[in-house]
Amino acid sequence: MSSTDTASDRPTITQYTDPMCTWCWGSEPIIRRLRTVLGDQIRIRYVMGGLVEDFDEFYDPVNDIAEPSDVAPHWIEASEHHGMPVDVTIFETDPAQSTYPASRAFTAARQQGAELAHRYLRRLREAYITQVRNVNDREEQVKLADAVGLDVDAFTTALDNGTAQAAFEDDLSRTRDAGVRSFPTYHIDGPAGEQRASGFTSFEELLTALMSVDPTLERSSLPPIRRFIAEYGPVATREVAEVYELDDGKARQALESLVDDGTIRRESRGNGFFWHSNDRGEN
């Protein structure tokens, strides 16, 4: 039996994360590249780390953040580094006072399976960081749940009956026990051992860690860009650049050519662009 024949034998990369963390958002292109080149040879898991329980009692001395409005310049600076779009208008209109409600929404979604939960986490990130939507609001959480195909009744029940809260508290406990001090932090384990990486981590570093815990992993050939967008869309320019090893300018050129032939469409958000497939509906 090969190492990919059963789920328990596959190497797993666990990201300790938060829906509103800009560096976790900036890691989306890297995670999508791992998914694209390694496919179902690996598992990806997310543990909610609880970035901000209440801004009234929060202070980040490294970035001098004491209230939501302080986050805006941090987002802009981080975006210049990781390349993913941000829209800081949210801090003028409806900033989140805590990251906990959105985290609980994810743990409610996770009860319906990993794949749907991963889609939901992606939409939580997108909505808050690029679409000026406060995903702590129940209405927004339900809209996103419906959009990704979750059973909305089961989702809201999990939020209301305490099971999502219990799962979130378990995630917080796991985060504390793991000694996580920054987001994202990665724990990588497989048949040949364990590895750990903290902070914004490159694809090459994560791939090396995965290969060290399972040397049998094989990289797959890349699909055409239009197929990548159809599967994952909407995608940001940086995601295409990361997956296809292009600089942002060349990625933009390739994407514009697909706009010209009607395969995809472009959407401006914040300080960047997203690209939608015209081939099929997107979650």
Side-chain angles (χ1 to χ4, degrees):
M1 182 179 292
S2 74
S3 63
T4 58
D5 284 337
T6 65
S8 61
D9 289 334
R10 286 183 291 170
T12 300
I13 178 167
T14 299
Q15 185 188 89
Y16 292 87
T17 192
D18 187 278
M20 298 178 184
C21 168
T22 185
W23 291 108
C24 298
W25 172 237
S27 298
E28 285 285 290
I30 296 160
I31 296 296
R32 286 190 159 177
R33 187 174 174 188
L34 287 173
R35 287 182 181 275
T36 301
V37 303
L38 296 177
D40 62 6
Q41 296 178 90
I42 65 170
R43 289 181 299 173
I44 298 174
R45 290 178 171 171
Y46 294 98
V47 174
M48 296 294 104
L51 180 62
V52 179
E53 182 173 8
D54 186 343
F55 259 111
D56 286 342
E57 301 175 359
F58 177 82
Y59 180 61
D60 174 3
V62 174
N63 297 294
D64 193 26
I65 295 173
E67 56 187 47
S69 61
D70 296 334
V71 180
H74 174 60
W75 271 18
I76 293 170
E77 181 181 0
S79 177
E80 291 172 352
H81 180 81
H82 59 57
M84 287 294 278
V86 300
D87 190 334
V88 297
T89 308
I90 189 73
F91 298 109
E92 301 170 6
T93 59
D94 191 17
Q97 187 65 21
S98 169
T99 69
Y100 278 32
S103 298
R104 281 192 293 271
F106 168 77
T107 61
R110 193 171 60 195
Q111 296 183 31
Q112 298 185 42
E115 188 56 40
L116 282 172
H118 293 175
R119 293 180 191 175
Y120 189 70
L121 179 58
R122 167 63 182 220
R123 292 299 180 253
L124 285 173
R125 299 196 203 279
E126 268 189 62
Y128 189 70
I129 298 175
T130 76
Q131 293 182 302
V132 196
R133 297 165 62 182
N134 190 336
V135 295
N136 280 347
D137 295 342
R138 175 66 70 92
E139 182 179 358
E140 293 289 355
Q141 293 172 358
V142 169
K143 285 180 181 177
L144 294 172
D146 185 53
V148 303
L150 286 165
D151 180 325
V152 172
D153 288 339
F155 172 77
T156 56
T157 296
L159 287 174
D160 292 335
N161 69 10
T163 56
Q165 175 65 24
F168 177 47
E169 290 175 0
D170 183 63
D171 276 17
L172 293 177
S173 178
R174 288 184 62 186
T175 301
R176 288 192 298 269
D177 291 346
V180 171
R181 296 288 182 267
S182 62
F183 301 120
T185 288
Y186 299 93
H187 178 77
I188 302 101
D189 66 89
E194 300 180 0
Q195 296 286 331
R196 180 168 169 144
S198 297
F200 186 72
T201 307
S202 71
F203 168 81
E204 289 76 15
E205 291 173 290
L206 291 178
L207 181 63
T208 298
L210 283 162
M211 293 295 296
S212 73
V213 303
D214 188 350
T216 69
L217 292 174
E218 297 181 358
R219 296 180 62 163
S220 302
S221 58
L222 296 174
I225 292 176
R226 60 169 55 87
R227 190 185 306 164
F228 171 76
I229 297 173
E231 180 174 358
Y232 291 107
V235 302
T237 308
R238 173 96 294 270
E239 294 181 287
V240 173
E242 174 68 38
V243 171
Y244 292 89
E245 299 183 77
L246 303 170
D247 63 43
D248 285 2
K250 289 184 178 178
R252 176 73 181 271
Q253 289 176 2
L255 290 162
E256 292 290 0
S257 69
L258 293 175
V259 170
D260 292 341
D261 69 19
T263 301
I264 66 173
R265 64 188 185 279
R266 178 183 58 246
E267 177 192 5
S268 175
R269 292 191 203 167
N271 62 348
F273 293 94
F274 282 79
W275 311 83
H276 298 254
S277 174
N278 289 330
D279 293 340
R280 67 171 180 86
E282 296 166 348
N283 288 321

